[in-house]
Amino acid sequence: MIGRWCLIVLLGLGLNGCALFQGRDPLNISVIGIEPLPGQGLELRMAVKIRVQNPNETPVDFNGIALNLEVNDQPLAAGVSNQRGHIDRYGEQVIVVPVSITAFAFLRQAYGLSQVESLQGLPYVLRGKLAGGPLGTLRFTDEGRLDLPDAAGG
């Protein structure tokens, strides 16, 4: 009898816990800048600036971030940071993450770009995750188009 009562209480608590996480909107992420950083050897380094907006009633605490950037449907850069942060409810924060571009990824991109007619409107996809906090890891994706300077005509 006691075991059955404990099971009912645990099921009730589990259902209430699931109800707390329903209706949470995804974070809004946008790339707002990319700046060069010093690299080593054949590696290129950049600082990717992203704006993270929290459209929810509850704040987001994080203790790490990871990014993967694809350009023109090819992997380009990846980076991680163990920085900590707090994004208020209905708040936003700019996060800077250092990313690395290997020589192989750079050459693959250069070859892919030589096959396109214009450097305008190249598709990019940024995938990442914010780690930690009471809600666990929050994954995000940002997609858009890059307009790179055209070497031929300025």
Side-chain angles (χ1 to χ4, degrees):
M1 183 67 169
I2 294 176
R4 185 178 286 173
W5 178 252
C6 287
L7 183 61
I8 291 171
V9 169
L10 286 175
L11 285 173
L13 288 174
L15 290 175
N16 281 338
C18 290
L20 289 175
F21 298 117
Q22 292 179 351
R24 182 170 180 81
D25 291 325
L27 299 175
N28 297 321
I29 310 294
S30 21
V31 176
I32 60 170
I34 299 176
E35 298 175 358
L37 292 174
Q40 287 186 322
L42 296 176
E43 173 187 65
L44 297 173
R45 303 267 296 157
M46 297 184 306
V48 176
K49 291 183 181 182
I50 59 172
R51 182 175 309 279
V52 181
Q53 296 177 331
N54 179 12
N56 295 289
E57 294 276 340
T58 56
V60 173
D61 293 309
F62 64 93
N63 58 16
I65 186 168
L67 297 178
N68 287 303
L69 178 63
E70 293 178 8
V71 174
N72 205 25
D73 298 323
Q74 294 291 323
L76 177 64
V80 295
S81 174
N82 65 353
Q83 62 186 297
R84 298 176 178 274
H86 174 87
I87 305 167
D88 291 326
R89 61 187 283 277
Y90 297 106
E92 63 181 41
Q93 182 176 347
V94 173
I95 302 172
V96 180
V97 181
V99 298
S100 299
I101 302 173
T102 65
F104 181 70
F106 179 77
L107 291 173
R108 184 175 50 234
Q109 284 294 327
Y111 176 75
L113 293 178
S114 71
Q115 305 300 310
V116 298
E117 292 181 20
S118 171
L119 297 180
Q120 305 306 311
L122 292 173
Y124 77 87
V125 177
L126 178 75
R127 290 184 179 85
K129 61 183 177 178
L130 289 173
L135 300 177
T137 299
L138 298 172
R139 296 184 184 278
F140 58 85
T141 302
D142 179 45
E143 298 181 38
R145 299 218 170 254
L146 294 174
D147 289 326
L148 300 177
D150 191 359

